[in-house]
Amino acid sequence: MDELEGGIRRVTLPLPTRPGHVHAYLLPGDDGWTLVDTGIGTPDAKETWAAELDQAGGRVATVFVTHFHPDHVGAAADLHELTGARVVQGALDYAQCELVWGNPAWSERLVDWFQLHGAPDGVTAELVGQSSVYRPFIRYQRDPILVEAGEHVDGWELIAAPGHADGQLCLLRDGVLVAADHLLGRITPTVGLWPASRADPLGDYLGALDRTIGLAPRIALPGHGEPIEDPVLRAQELQEHHRVRLEEAVAALTAEPQTGYELSFALFGADLPASGRRFAIAETLSHFERLVQEDAARRQEVDGAVTYTAA
Ligand SMILES: [Zn+2]
């Protein structure tokens, strides 16, 4: 556990896949800690957390989940059982959490979706199999308290940060942004199009970065990696990164229709394991959907296949 400015504590939990760790934060408040994010719900999660909370001292007033990805939501039920604290999650994010993790038919939906975007049959099975890796370790809390951006939780303002996840919420107080995976220091947060996600996640993300620049937080505490000392500069860098990627995406288009699967090779290369290809396809699609919105690409859907061509 690390002590940060303003009495904030940082707990770093291991992850079996890249980036190898996730941070949770304990924010001090009048009624106890506000615990932001939970790590994955491994069999020893409760034990790990009991030791960490013992070290921190005091009670947990609230468990706040920024978004439904495994490393952030996975141990929410464990923490509720351990502490008795209320669990708070964004309303849209919880709806997507249930849709993905509470739904046995989700894998079939992913199969259809990868096929719609051109993945060959053999590849699709491998891509979908990858998504089940974390499933046993997702112990999200049913029926949490649902909140919206603009509301306050334990004195922190909730800031909408769509893009990496549609319903992701950050927390802001006194210039400190608890940023989850909205801003990361050395890696670029993934921004993908997934089944049942909003239509233009990259557009959402670029807009959310604009709002971050407007809010001008003094420091950002990310879900992975070290605190970001200049969040405005980092937001600008991420916008620039995606502008460059959008230009590369335009350059990959021709008059010949290409699927998201095919185009993912142009943007991310051929040399990716199934786990990487999954994200490459989703990221490729978020870029081409943004280009469609900007009239820089065209989308066609013919005979159960979505393709893109130059505008
Ligand atoms: Zn994360």
Side-chain angles (χ1 to χ4, degrees), residues 67 71-72 181 224:
H67 65 296
D71 45 334
H72 299 262
D181 292 353
H224 311 272

Side-chain angles (χ1 to χ4, degrees), residues 69-88:
H69 293 171
D71 45 334
H72 299 262
V73 77
D78 298 289
L79 274 158
H80 175 69
E81 286 167 17
L82 183 67
T83 65
R86 62 180 190 154
V87 176
V88 177

Side-chain angles (χ1 to χ4, degrees), residues 286-300 307-309:
S286 74
H287 284 77
F288 285 101
E289 287 300 318
R290 176 90 289 264
L291 292 174
V292 169
Q293 295 297 321
E294 293 178 0
D295 287 324
R298 287 189 211 292
R299 179 199 328 108
Q300 301 75 223
T307 54
Y308 298 89
T309 49

Side-chain angles (χ1 to χ4, degrees), residues 244-274:
V244 170
R245 292 297 271 162
L246 284 166
E247 281 168 28
E248 290 168 1
V250 169
L253 288 171
T254 60
E256 203 60 42
Q258 296 178 83
T259 65
Y261 177 74
E262 290 166 329
L263 286 162
S264 76
F265 285 80
L267 287 190
F268 290 90
D271 191 21
L272 280 180

Side-chain angles (χ1 to χ4, degrees), residues 84-103:
R86 62 180 190 154
V87 176
V88 177
Q89 190 170 1
L92 170 61
D93 189 66
Y94 183 67
Q96 295 192 344
C97 186
E98 284 216 294
L99 187 67
V100 173
W101 303 121
N103 173 8

Side-chain angles (χ1 to χ4, degrees), residues 40-270:
I40 52 177
T42 49
D44 63 351
K46 223 189 251 181
E47 210 177 307
T48 303
W49 270 114
E52 293 289 350
L53 293 174
D54 208 41
Q55 196 185 331
R59 70 186 280 268
V60 175
T62 303
V63 175
F64 185 83
V65 174
T66 61
H67 65 296
F68 72 96
H69 293 171
D71 45 334
H72 299 262
V73 77
D78 298 289
L79 274 158
H80 175 69
E81 286 167 17
L82 183 67
T83 65
R86 62 180 190 154
V87 176
V88 177
Q89 190 170 1
L92 170 61
D93 189 66
Y94 183 67
Q96 295 192 344
C97 186
E98 284 216 294
L99 187 67
V100 173
W101 303 121
N103 173 8
W106 181 250
S107 294
E108 285 152 49
R109 189 135 179 212
L110 267 183
V111 168
D112 294 345
W113 185 81
F114 280 120
Q115 286 175 341
L116 179 69
H117 293 292
D121 286 346
V123 176
T124 301
E126 209 182 343
L127 295 172
V128 173
Q130 271 298 322
S131 79
S132 318
V133 171
Y134 276 108
R135 197 167 273 274
F137 307 114
I138 313 296
R139 295 181 28 80
Y140 70 91
Q141 178 63 31
R142 262 87 181 165
D143 302 319
I145 294 168
L146 300 178
V147 289
E148 303 281 351
E151 293 179 30
H152 287 72
V153 169
D154 302 341
W156 292 75
E157 184 185 355
L158 303 181
I159 307 292
H164 177 70
D166 292 337
Q168 180 174 245
L169 294 174
C170 301
L171 300 95
L172 179 68
R173 183 177 187 169
D174 298 335
V176 177
L177 183 72
V178 182
D181 292 353
H182 172 57
L183 292 182
L184 299 175
R186 292 175 61 188
I187 39 183
T188 307
T190 62
V191 177
L193 184 82
W194 298 97
S197 74
R198 280 159 49 115
D200 178 19
L202 184 54
D204 290 343
Y205 187 52
L206 295 171
L209 289 171
D210 271 337
R211 289 196 301 279
T212 305
I213 292 165
L215 289 168
R218 190 162 42 75
I219 189 165
L221 306 178
H224 311 272
E226 288 308 303
I228 298 162
E229 304 286 346
D230 192 341
V232 168
L233 176 65
R234 186 61 186 141
Q236 289 164 340
E237 285 171 0
L238 289 165
Q239 286 184 325
E240 179 56 23
H241 165 84
H242 285 295
R243 282 286 148 214
V244 170
R245 292 297 271 162
L246 284 166
E247 281 168 28
E248 290 168 1
V250 169
L253 288 171
T254 60
E256 203 60 42
Q258 296 178 83
T259 65
Y261 177 74
E262 290 166 329
L263 286 162
S264 76
F265 285 80
L267 287 190
F268 290 90

